Amino acid sequence: MKPINLLGLSGSLREQSINSRLLRELTYRSPAGVTLNVYDSLGALPLFNPDLESRPPSTVLAYWSALKSCDGVIIASPEYAHGYTGTIKNALDWCVGEGAFVEKKVAVLNAAPRSSIAVDSLKEVLRTIDAFVVENASLEIPVLGRDLSDPDAFSSPCIESLMGNVFQELVVEIQACSASSGAKE
């Protein structure tokens, strides 16, 4: 199996974010041959400005590079007032003209069961920018309310199983795409 490189994007800039913690936990549980790197510089992206697309700042170039070099993306974002965060909105806006998400396999995670409206909206935007949302990898992983200072906060059989499913389903889709593009060559 060819090594698979995934990029994690958290929609929260909070230091104690459950979404960021979920992504970090996933990095520790990556199966053999799969690497998940959490991109921690979304907060450094300037507000999207179409006038800058032709001469993007270095922070935007670094973000595009990280997206282009990965095989798939895992997004975990909180919901605010029935919407996904401005952090993710800004990050996606920077990719519309660049096309960094085109045909990219994406899993959208929901760390709070009550966040389904934002998740659905986020998936719609991802489809609009031609990302491929892997529905079987886009799961609710109910960590809201857990004591995140507890080292075993993510060790329940249910949560471990769900995290394993994210990787399994996303990897299957990436490999299927890789196999079909290899057959065309």
Side-chain angles (χ1 to χ4, degrees):
M1 170 176 99
K2 171 188 165 281
I4 293 177
N5 179 27
L6 302 175
L7 186 67
L9 303 177
S10 174
S12 179
L13 301 178
R14 288 184 60 216
E15 188 174 319
Q16 297 300 317
S17 162
I18 61 172
N19 292 281
S20 298
R21 175 73 188 274
L22 175 59
L23 288 171
R24 283 192 304 276
E25 287 296 322
L26 284 165
T27 66
Y28 306 138
R29 290 167 167 78
S30 298
V34 177
T35 302
L36 172 62
N37 295 300
V38 177
Y39 192 81
D40 60 1
S41 297
L42 288 185
L45 294 175
L47 291 177
F48 174 69
N49 179 345
D51 292 339
L52 298 177
E53 283 184 296
S54 62
R55 49 179 175 40
S58 61
T59 53
V60 173
L61 291 172
Y63 171 57
W64 286 345
S65 177
L67 280 169
K68 289 178 183 178
S69 66
C70 74
D71 299 302
V73 178
I74 299 175
I75 299 175
S77 181
E79 177 173 299
Y80 293 120
H82 285 182
Y84 55 91
T85 67
T87 302
I88 288 294
K89 172 69 171 142
N90 190 51
L92 295 177
D93 284 350
W94 274 111
C95 294
V96 173
E98 175 60 21
F101 269 94
V102 173
E103 297 184 13
K104 193 68 69 178
K105 305 302 183 254
V106 181
V108 178
L109 303 185
N110 180 352
R114 62 179 182 240
S115 299
S116 60
I117 294 171
V119 167
D120 292 342
S121 178
L122 177 55
K123 288 178 182 179
E124 178 61 26
V125 170
L126 286 163
R127 289 183 191 103
T128 300
I129 62 174
D130 293 323
F132 184 92
V133 177
V134 181
E135 289 295 339
N136 290 340
S138 297
L139 302 175
E140 180 178 287
I141 301 179
V143 294
L144 182 67
R146 291 183 177 268
D147 177 6
L148 298 183
S149 64
D150 178 358
D152 295 325
F154 291 80
S155 295
S156 78
C158 174
I159 290 178
E160 287 182 345
S161 174
L162 289 169
M163 289 191 293
N165 286 344
V166 171
F167 286 116
Q168 179 180 341
E169 298 296 335
L170 193 54
V171 167
V172 163
E173 198 60 49
I174 290 167
Q175 289 175 329
C177 182
S178 225
S180 67
S181 68
K184 292 177 188 175
E185 294 173 359

